[in-house]
Amino acid sequence: QVQLVESGGGLVQPGGSLRLSCAASGFSFRHYAMGWVRQAPGKGLEWVSSTTNGGSSPGYADSVKGRFTISRDNTKNTLYLQMNSLTPDDTAVYYCVKYPDPVWSGRRHERRGQGTQVTVSS
């Protein structure tokens, strides 16, 4: 079955960087758009970024644009999120998500991993 396993979270100081990874299995990774969403304490899910099956046409939430970069390695069935210039507002559980199609625009994700905690604090 579909499995999405996130890793790379942790505690980082403001201004620091982290790279999240999502190891995918149980489906043909290269055929589907993928993305990241997050949930801050006491808040709902927030879309962060998404990319097509081939890694093109990435999209970013305004809150992370210019600081975060999404990428994927279809030979390793892995999705990444490079996060730079982190602020306390980026503190959240970050989830890897799978879309039902090769493109993500106008679609809702259909699967979500268990998440990895990112805490930005001095």
Side-chain angles (χ1 to χ4, degrees), residues 6-12 18-21 36 83 92 94 115-119:
E6 302 93 338
S7 62
L11 174 64
V12 63
L18 281 175
R19 188 174 84 151
L20 306 184
S21 299
W36 294 93
M83 306 187 296
Y94 284 71
T116 185
Q117 175 71 48
V118 171
T119 302

Side-chain angles (χ1 to χ4, degrees), residues 54-67:
S56 63
S57 302
Y60 299 94
D62 287 344
S63 57
V64 307
K65 200 171 294 182
R67 301 187 298 121

Side-chain angles (χ1 to χ4, degrees), residues 70-82:
I70 191 171
S71 63
R72 62 191 292 164
D73 186 338
N74 285 348
T75 67
K76 296 181 179 180
N77 290 352
T78 303
L79 179 73
Y80 303 99
L81 185 68
Q82 177 66 44

Side-chain angles (χ1 to χ4, degrees), residues 64-122:
V64 307
K65 200 171 294 182
R67 301 187 298 121
F68 290 12
T69 302
I70 191 171
S71 63
R72 62 191 292 164
D73 186 338
N74 285 348
T75 67
K76 296 181 179 180
N77 290 352
T78 303
L79 179 73
Y80 303 99
L81 185 68
Q82 177 66 44
M83 306 187 296
N84 298 328
S85 303
L86 286 161
T87 75
D89 287 342
D90 295 315
T91 295
V93 177
Y94 284 71
Y95 299 93
C96 171
V97 298
K98 173 189 177 294
Y99 290 88
D101 295 302
V103 297
W104 59 270
S105 182
R107 275 77 166 173
R108 292 192 63 180
H109 66 267
E110 61 174 2
R111 289 286 192 276
R112 194 174 78 193
Q114 292 300 305
T116 185
Q117 175 71 48
V118 171
T119 302
V120 185
S121 175
S122 55

